[in-house]
């Protein structure tokens, strides 16, 4: 599971000079840029204890341990513990912060941050101490504690963190949000409240008052919390430093679900937690009322969680490199790290606090341990506290060849007093082949003997100090000292684990151990614990816990998500030889799955917003349902078996668990709210069905449909039957209206919408239910729906030739149609013109209408034009002529003669002459147009037409006209195939050619 990594006790240390005590057993070589080496100094605090460190004026070091120890590490010689303070070391609490006062040379003042148990719980405290010294002037103890700041604590996480003592005598202090990391905790909103110290960077005077320059400073109340606040909105601002140029804090804020961030913190800034994480609104928190309108100061840089190259899981703010020994590329760069991923990056920002150069990809320094504090050595070298090994690690740089680092381990056979030495962990960062010179401490040596040697010690002293010197080919060396006890037998430790193998939260884990030693007999056992947090196996990291002594040890199993517990028994004999064994207690986990009655954003915030996760039995955390489902309309109405509130805090039981969020869909919302709808549809007959973007539900008397585009509509009766017969919403789309009644009370109808196209189904008792849509429906609507052509008597159909689509209609017994083709568009035809078109075999005769029925300019006639195979035809209708068709060459001639303004209206359809040669139309103004293939189309009219008729029309010797009537000097004339006819005032005369 992707539960957020809890930042437990990860503090960093800064060292200046290389101290002489070399930590044994250093891990394999880190990946460093060319010329860089790591020089390690043992803090004496042990793994997972080192939290902070600081240089004293003489360049010796003070270091702090989580368990309350304060160590002094001299420039040369052996370090010592100078104080052990009472602390609450649970979770990431303990002694975590250290600062040396700027006037230490005279005051010997230091500042420490820690958590302390009280009768009612614990407090988080910043105190000033005075360092006592011995006769040689070396630190020997702490005295005179004077609290400077204190706040009550609630949770063992995100407590008091870094303290910085500025050169001006003021103090800078970071405090985490002190909230429950396992779930959405409204208490985290305290990070937004300037009247509470949690989730803040504070700027204090030396006696704990607010600094007058703070953004909320009140001169009348300098001790008020708001007067102390410099910036707010942090989750766990664990480590920060002051930029030497800007004078502003620059540090890391450890994230929760998905992001780690670095901030250049401006005066009065709001970094947004818990409403924001990095540049992103925080799942589970951002919907809280307290997050409404909360701004977010964008971070300098953010790292996503995960186990990739450019990911982080517990960020540690660093420092700007101000030395001169590193290459130019690093001078002025900001060094920061990540404890979990064991990396260090560098970046640059400008004088406005904006990112100027992003971190290297991949990181420049990898495999470097767990950095929890950065500082500068006296020469400016970057030094950091590695909490994993308990060492101070210094990044040193040498141009050209770099000196090797010696590391060695031993194993002993006490029967023969033989000690085996292994120096193969020694490192040369130039990848040079090393030479190994051994000094066994008893006068014997082995020059150039290789990384692994054995030496048998003679009877005598119980212990010796051996040395390993490693040489590179250019003569640079590194040295390590190793304490050995050749005659000492290693203690025998037997660890007895509990019977159970997995554990629930707060279930007691009891382990036992016994230890004997050949020289010392029974030995006392020391127990240490750690919570090993594993968001993924690649990002496992440990958080130290409480310990104890004795043969048995018990502790409640952790409630930390994604975690196991490690119980380590350690014994040490009188010669200082130790052995340890560890038992790992694994969590007993169950799967929690969130479901919704509608698809919705359901999240386990502590699992990074996942809707399903493995969680430990007994763990308590919250689950959250979005107020609206993903359809944007279904409303959350409560958890099945749980609260009506979208957030539900649950405790995991002994089995897998599925939680269901109820959502009231738009369909149910309308049905529940509208009594008339309930009366119309009757009772529900089936559960609601979701089909892509469309939801629907079946009722006794109909159906209700919803889509985001059309809203909630019902459909009933014959209209529904036609809708379903046609394929329902998958073909026609969801209803765009309820089933309604037309204004005349005759029909019921629904509109539908598919792919932006509106369709309709109209139903009357006389016509039945029929579908009309697309361009035909648009034309019908343009003609005033049923008030124009009447109601459809067919669905939209295709013509036999596959070219057109059509619907037929009826109004008051009169049939009409709308025909559509892609090139003619949709046009209506009805009444007498439609009858004539039908008589002429519909589209097989004149073709398809290219106009609606229109009126002539004189208001006398109605007409439609048609086209077939590129030929234009028309049907004209007057009350006294009826409807007649005219097309082809005859129509062209009629058009050339100005349509009805010339010969009048067609008095016949185009007819064929008895001899089969010609075609003709007669017209109302007394003229005719005759056409043959050989003569073309010509008009014959007036007295000439009468004479031609008297002679027998085309059966006369004249046959068919070859010209229109034209004027002559004495009258008018028409030419025919066999002669001509003239007309003068003397009357008509015909003549042969």
């Amino acid at each position: 599971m992707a539960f957020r990594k809890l930042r437990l006790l990860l503090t960093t240390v800064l060292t200046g000079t290389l101290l002489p005590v070399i930590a044994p057993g250093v891990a394999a070589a880190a990946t460093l840029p060319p010329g860089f080496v790591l020089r390690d100094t043992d803090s004496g605090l042990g793994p997972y204890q080192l939290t902070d460190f600081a240089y004293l004026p003489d360049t010796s070091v003070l270091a702090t341990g989580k368990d309350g120890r304060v160590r002094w590490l001299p420039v040369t010689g052996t370090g010592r513990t100078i104080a052990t303070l009472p602390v609450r070391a649970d979770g990431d609490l303990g002694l975590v912060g250290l600062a040396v006062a700027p006037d230490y040379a005279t005051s010997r003042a230091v500042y420490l941050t820690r958590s302390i148990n009280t009768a009612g719980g614990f407090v988080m405290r910043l105190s000033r101490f005075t360092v006592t010294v011995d006769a040689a002037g070396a630190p020997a103890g702490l005295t005179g504690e004077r609290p400077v700041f204190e706040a009550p604590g609630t949770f063992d996480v995100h407590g008091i963190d870094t303290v910085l003592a500025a050169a001006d005598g003021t103090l800078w202090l970071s405090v985490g949000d002190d909230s429950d990391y396992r779930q959405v905790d409204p208490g985290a909103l305290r990070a937004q409240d300037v009247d509470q110290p949690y989730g803040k960077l504070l700027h204090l005077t030396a006696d704990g008052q607010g600094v007058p320059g703070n953004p909320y400073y009140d001169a009348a109340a300098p001790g008020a919390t708001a007067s102390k606040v410099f910036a707010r909105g942090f989750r766990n601002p664990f480590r920060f430093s002051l930029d030497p140029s800007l004078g502003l804090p620059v540090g890391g804020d450890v994230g929760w679900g998905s992001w780690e961030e670095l901030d250049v913190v401006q005066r009065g800034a709001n970094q947004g937690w818990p409403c924001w994480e990095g540049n992103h609104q925080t799942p589970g928190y951002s919907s809280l009322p307290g997050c409404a309108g909360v701004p977010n100061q964008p971070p300098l840089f953010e790292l996503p969680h995960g186990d990739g190259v450019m990911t982080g899981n517990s960020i540690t703010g660093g420092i700007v490199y101000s030395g001169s020994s590193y290459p130019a590329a690093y001078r002025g760069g900001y060094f920061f790290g990540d404890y979990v991923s064991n990396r260090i990056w560098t970046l640059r920002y400008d004088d406005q606090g904006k990112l100027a150069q992003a971190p290297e990809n991949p990181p420049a320094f990898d495999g470097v341990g767990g950095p929890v504090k950065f500082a500068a050595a006296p020469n400016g070298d970057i030094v950091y506290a590695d909490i994993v090994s308990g060492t101070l690690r210094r990044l040193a740089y040498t141009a050209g060849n770099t000196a090797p680092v010696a590391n060695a381990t031993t194993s002993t056979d006490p029967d023969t007093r033989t000690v085996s030495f292994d120096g193969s962990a020694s490192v040369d960062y130039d990848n040079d082949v090393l030479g190994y010179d051994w000094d066994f401490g008893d006068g014997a040596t082995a020059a150039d003997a290789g990384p692994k040697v054995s030496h048998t010690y003679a009877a005598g002293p119980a212990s010796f100090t051996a040395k390993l010197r490693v040489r590179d080919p250019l003569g640079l060396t590194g040295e390590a000292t190793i304490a050995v006890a050749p005659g000492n037998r290693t203690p025998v430790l037997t660890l007895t684990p509990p019977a159970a193998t997995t554990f629930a939260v707060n279930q007691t884990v009891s382990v036992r151990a016994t230890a004997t030693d050949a020289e010392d007999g029974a030995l006392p056992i020391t127990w240490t614990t750690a919570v090993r947090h594993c968001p993924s196996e690649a990002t496992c990291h440990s958080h130290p816990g409480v310990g104890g002594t004795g043969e048995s040890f018990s502790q409640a199993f952790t409630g930390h998500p994604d975690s196991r517990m490690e119980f380590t028994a350690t014994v040490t004999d009188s010669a200082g030889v130790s052995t340890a064994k560890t038992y790992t207690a694994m969590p007993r986990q169950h799967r929690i799955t969130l479901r919704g009655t509608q698809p919705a954003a359901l999240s386990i915030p502590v699992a990074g917003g996942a809707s399903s996760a493995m969680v430990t039995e007994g763990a308590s955390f919250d689950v959250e349902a979005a107020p609206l489902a993903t359809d944007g309309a279904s409303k959350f109405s409560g958890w099945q078996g749980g609260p009506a509130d979208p957030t539900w805090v649950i405790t995991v039981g002994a089995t897998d668990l599925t939680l269901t969020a109820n959502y009231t869909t738009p369909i149910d919302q309308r049905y529940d709210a509208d009594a008339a709808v309930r009366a119309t549809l009757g009772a529900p007959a089936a559960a609601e069905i979701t089909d892509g973007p469309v939801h629907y539900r079946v009722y006794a008397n109909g159906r209700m449909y919803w889509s985001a585009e059309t809203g909630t509509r019902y459909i009933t009766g014959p209209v529904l039957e036609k809708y379903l017969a046609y394929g329902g919403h998958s073909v026609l789309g969801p209803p765009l209206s309820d089933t309604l009644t037309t204004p005349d009370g005759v029909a019921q109808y629904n509109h539908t919408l598919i792919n932006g196209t509106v369709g309709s189904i109209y139903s009357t008792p006389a016509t039945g239910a029929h579908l009309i849509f697309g361009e035909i429906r648009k034309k019908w609507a343009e003609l005033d729906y049923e008030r124009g052509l009447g109601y459809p008597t067919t669905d939209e159909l295709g013509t036999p030739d596959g070219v057109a689509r059509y619907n037929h209609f009826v109004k008051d017994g009169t049939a009409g149609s709308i025909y559509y083709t892609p090139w003619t568009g949709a046009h209506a035809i009805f009444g007498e013109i439609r009858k004539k078109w039908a008589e002429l075999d519909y589209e097989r005769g004149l073709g398809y209408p290219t106009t609606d029925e229109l009126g002539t300019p004189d208001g006398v006639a109605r007409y439609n034009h048609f086209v077939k195979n590129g030929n234009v035809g028309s049907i004209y209708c007057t009350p006294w002529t009826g409807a007649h068709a005219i097309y082809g060459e005859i129509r062209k001639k009629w058009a050339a003669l100005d349509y009805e303004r010339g010969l009048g209206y067609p008095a016949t359809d185009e007819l064929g002459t008895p001899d089969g040669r010609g075609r003709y139309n007669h017209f109302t103004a007394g003229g005719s147009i005759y056409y043959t293939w050989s003569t073309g189309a010509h008009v014959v009219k007036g007295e000439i037409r009468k004479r031609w008729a008297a002679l027998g029309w085309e059966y006369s010797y004249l046959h068919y006209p070859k010209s229109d009537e034209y004027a002559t000097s004495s009258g008018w004339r028409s030419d025919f195939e066999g002669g001509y006819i003239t007309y003068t005032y003397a009357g008509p005369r015909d003549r042969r050619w």
Side-chain angles (χ1 to χ4, degrees):
M1 293 187 337
F3 286 133
R4 174 60 197 112
K5 285 65 53 186
L6 171 63
R7 167 56 115 101
L8 290 180
L9 178 53
L10 308 175
T11 8
T12 351
V13 231
L14 303 178
T15 69
T17 58
L18 177 62
L19 300 179
V21 181
I22 305 301
V26 174
T31 300
L32 306 177
F36 281 94
V37 297
L38 280 171
R39 304 291 186 188
D40 293 343
T41 301
D42 188 3
S43 69
L45 291 164
Y48 294 102
Q49 285 296 321
L50 174 61
T51 56
D52 204 347
F53 70 99
Y55 286 95
L56 297 177
D58 66 354
T59 70
S60 64
V61 172
L62 290 180
T64 58
K66 180 182 191 304
D67 58 8
R69 284 179 290 163
V70 180
R71 295 268 297 169
W72 174 64
L73 308 178
V75 177
T76 60
T78 303
R80 65 190 180 197
T81 298
I82 65 170
T84 301
L85 301 177
V87 296
R88 178 186 181 95
D90 296 357
D92 64 2
L93 306 182
L95 175 57
V96 296
L98 165 67
V100 173
D103 62 351
Y104 178 86
T106 56
S107 69
R108 296 202 306 276
V110 296
Y111 296 90
L112 298 171
T113 63
R114 72 195 200 276
S115 297
I116 308 167
N117 285 314
T118 62
F122 72 97
V123 294
M124 300 178 290
R125 180 185 296 171
L126 163 64
S127 292
R128 177 186 174 107
F129 290 84
T130 299
V131 177
T132 62
V133 296
D134 60 17
L142 297 178
T143 188
E145 178 177 7
R146 180 166 63 82
V148 177
F149 169 87
E150 189 169 284
T154 304
F155 292 93
D156 293 334
V157 294
H158 311 161
I160 194 166
D161 289 322
T162 296
V163 57
L164 296 180
D168 63 2
T170 62
L171 302 173
W172 294 83
L173 177 67
S174 62
V175 183
D177 70 351
D178 187 40
S179 67
D180 191 346
Y181 61 89
R182 299 164 298 181
Q183 59 191 1
V184 172
D185 180 3
L189 287 164
R190 296 184 301 180
Q192 291 295 317
D193 185 354
V194 297
D195 292 318
Q196 301 196 60
Y198 310 100
K200 307 296 190 303
L201 277 184
L202 307 177
H203 194 188
L204 313 173
T205 63
D207 59 357
Q209 301 294 299
V211 172
N214 286 340
Y216 311 105
Y217 181 79
D218 182 356
T225 298
S227 291
K228 303 174 184 179
V229 172
F230 182 80
R232 58 177 162 156
F234 299 92
R235 181 172 183 262
N236 192 21
F238 179 66
R239 287 294 183 236
F240 69 95
S241 61
L242 291 178
D243 179 85
S245 298
L246 302 178
L248 294 174
V250 182
D253 194 18
V254 179
W256 185 47
S258 301
W259 298 94
E260 305 290 303
E261 68 177 79
L262 282 173
D263 303 306
V264 176
V265 183
Q266 306 288 337
R267 176 182 178 274
N270 187 344
Q271 300 302 145
W273 175 260
C275 311
W276 297 82
E277 188 179 62
N279 287 307
H280 316 271
Q281 289 189 315
T282 311
Y285 277 106
S286 59
S287 61
L288 294 179
C291 281
V294 170
N296 180 52
Q297 176 70 37
L300 173 67
F301 185 73
E302 62 179 7
L303 272 175
H305 292 166
D307 53 12
V309 173
M310 292 297 289
T311 60
N313 295 281
S314 190
I315 200 164
T316 300
I319 61 170
V320 173
Y321 174 69
S322 57
S324 59
S325 63
Y326 289 4
Y330 296 97
R331 295 175 191 172
Y334 178 79
F335 282 68
F336 70 97
D338 188 86
Y339 153 70
V340 174
S341 62
N342 303 146
R343 294 174 179 136
I344 295 174
W345 291 266
T346 68
L347 58 74
R348 294 179 184 272
Y349 49 84
D350 61 22
D351 58 5
Q352 301 298 311
K354 305 297 184 184
L355 186 67
Q357 178 180 308
E360 309 91 345
N361 183 2
F365 305 88
D366 201 358
V368 296
V372 293
K373 172 66 180 290
F374 288 87
N379 73 338
D381 282 358
I382 298 295
V383 185
Y384 61 92
D386 174 13
I387 194 173
V388 175
S389 65
T391 58
L392 303 180
R393 310 199 76 181
R394 177 172 176 170
L395 281 169
Y397 178 82
T398 302
N401 186 44
T402 57
V405 178
N407 292 299
T409 60
T410 63
S411 61
T412 302
D413 180 356
D415 291 331
T416 63
R417 292 178 61 86
T418 300
V419 178
S420 297
F421 296 86
D422 187 349
S424 27
S426 300
V427 178
D428 187 280
Y429 289 98
D430 302 314
N431 294 317
D432 292 332
V433 175
L434 294 178
Y436 297 81
D437 299 325
W438 296 91
D439 181 342
F440 301 117
D442 62 350
T445 60
D448 203 16
K452 295 182 179 181
V453 296
S454 295
H455 179 66
T456 300
Y457 287 83
S463 63
F464 299 87
T465 298
K467 293 181 181 180
L468 166 63
R469 175 175 293 175
V470 291
R471 294 173 284 101
D472 71 9
L474 297 180
L476 293 183
T477 64
E479 188 173 281
T481 59
I482 314 104
V484 295
N488 186 71
R489 288 174 172 79
T490 301
V492 176
L493 176 66
T494 302
L495 190 149
T496 304
T501 56
T502 59
F503 299 87
V505 172
N506 292 326
Q507 181 179 348
T508 299
V509 183
S510 297
V511 288
R512 295 182 60 82
T514 58
T516 60
D517 183 77
E519 291 82 16
D520 300 333
L523 295 174
I525 297 168
T526 300
W527 295 91
T528 58
T529 63
V531 174
R532 190 154 182 81
H533 181 204
C534 297
S536 68
E537 289 302 318
T539 57
C540 287
H541 54 284
S542 293
H543 308 301
V546 298
T549 59
E551 289 190 354
S552 63
F553 181 78
S554 298
Q555 190 174 353
F557 192 78
T558 180
H560 196 299
D562 281 340
S563 297
R564 59 200 68 161
M565 290 188 72
E566 296 172 345
F567 295 77
T568 299
T570 302
V571 294
T572 303
D573 66 13
S574 58
V577 176
S578 297
T579 188
K581 288 188 177 180
T582 298
Y583 167 71
T584 300
M586 299 298 291
R588 185 159 61 248
Q589 293 187 313
H590 306 289
R591 181 163 292 281
I592 302 298
T593 302
L594 307 184
R595 294 178 179 169
T597 55
Q598 293 295 319
L602 308 173
S603 70
I604 307 170
V606 77
S611 60
S612 181
M614 294 297 292
V615 293
T616 303
E617 182 178 317
S620 293
F621 55 89
D622 54 353
V623 296
E624 184 176 76
L628 291 178
T630 53
D631 59 24
S634 297
K635 297 178 180 178
F636 175 79
S637 58
W639 292 95
Q640 290 183 16
D645 191 87
T647 298
W648 184 8
V649 178
I650 65 165
T651 300
V652 181
T655 61
D656 291 352
L657 180 64
T658 298
L659 304 177
T660 301
N662 291 325
Y663 283 85
T664 303
T665 67
I667 291 175
D668 287 342
Q669 293 170 34
R670 185 176 180 195
Y671 185 83
D672 294 342
D674 194 331
V677 169
R678 294 196 296 275
T680 298
L681 294 178
E688 185 171 317
I689 293 175
T690 299
D691 186 6
V694 177
H695 297 199
Y696 68 92
R697 191 169 191 181
V698 178
Y699 297 85
N701 303 322
R703 289 188 175 196
M704 191 110 73
Y705 285 81
W706 175 87
S707 76
E709 193 173 18
T710 60
T712 308
R713 312 293 181 187
Y714 67 79
I715 183 167
T716 63
V719 176
L720 174 60
E721 293 175 10
K722 171 59 72 173
Y723 179 72
L724 296 178
Y726 216 90
H729 66 274
S730 61
V731 174
L732 300 177
L736 192 56
S737 69
D738 295 331
T739 299
L740 302 173
T741 301
T742 53
D744 59 10
V746 172
Q748 288 195 318
Y749 68 93
N750 273 84
H751 301 317
T752 69
L753 180 68
I754 185 164
N755 297 328
T757 298
V758 178
S760 300
I761 297 174
Y762 278 74
S763 174
T764 75
T767 61
H770 296 292
L771 172 68
I772 179 171
F773 58 92
E775 296 301 315
I776 294 178
R777 184 187 179 279
K778 289 179 184 177
K779 175 58 68 176
W780 185 57
E782 179 187 317
L783 296 173
D784 202 18
Y785 299 99
E786 71 276 2
R787 294 175 290 277
L789 285 181
Y791 293 105
T793 59
T794 66
D795 298 329
E796 181 180 298
L797 302 172
T799 52
D801 60 8
V803 170
R805 307 290 295 173
Y806 68 92
N807 279 79
H808 295 324
F809 302 84
V810 67
K811 182 179 181 183
D812 300 330
T814 297
S817 301
I818 297 175
Y819 277 74
Y820 166 79
T821 74
W823 50 90
T824 62
H827 296 291
I829 181 171
F830 52 90
E832 296 302 314
I833 293 179
R834 182 183 180 280
K835 290 179 184 177
K836 174 57 67 176
W837 186 57
E839 178 186 317
L840 296 173
D841 203 16
Y842 297 101
E843 70 277 2
R844 292 177 292 276
L846 286 181
Y848 293 105
T850 59
T851 66
D852 299 331
E853 181 179 300
L854 302 172
T856 55
D858 59 10
V860 171
R862 307 290 294 173
Y863 67 91
N864 280 80
H865 296 323
F866 302 86
V867 67
K868 181 180 182 182
N869 298 329
N871 294 317
V872 177
S874 301
I875 298 176
Y876 279 75
C877 177
T878 72
W880 51 90
T881 62
H884 295 292
I886 181 170
Y887 49 90
E889 296 302 314
I890 295 177
R891 184 184 180 283
K892 290 179 184 177
K893 175 59 70 175
W894 184 55
L897 296 171
D898 202 17
Y899 297 101
E900 69 274 7
R901 292 175 292 277
L903 292 179
Y905 294 102
T908 66
D909 298 330
E910 180 180 300
L911 302 173
T913 55
D915 65 3
R917 276 191 66 205
R919 306 289 295 172
Y920 68 91
N921 276 80
H922 296 322
F923 297 89
T924 57
S928 301
I929 297 176
Y930 275 76
Y931 166 80
T932 71
W933 182 82
S934 58
T935 61
H938 298 290
V939 62
V940 183
K941 61 181 179 178
E943 295 302 319
I944 293 177
R945 179 179 179 276
K946 290 179 183 177
R947 181 67 178 174
W948 184 50
L951 293 172
W953 305 99
E954 68 275 9
Y955 283 101
S956 69
Y957 75 90
L958 294 174
H959 299 303
Y960 290 96
K962 291 175 57 179
S963 73
D964 297 335
E965 180 179 293
Y966 58 91
T968 64
S969 58
S970 58
W972 291 267
R973 169 174 164 169
S974 288
D975 296 331
F976 294 83
E977 289 176 303
Y980 57 90
I981 298 175
T982 60
Y983 172 75
T984 67
Y985 291 114
R989 296 184 184 277
D990 59 284
R991 289 181 173 80
R992 296 181 183 273
W993 294 111

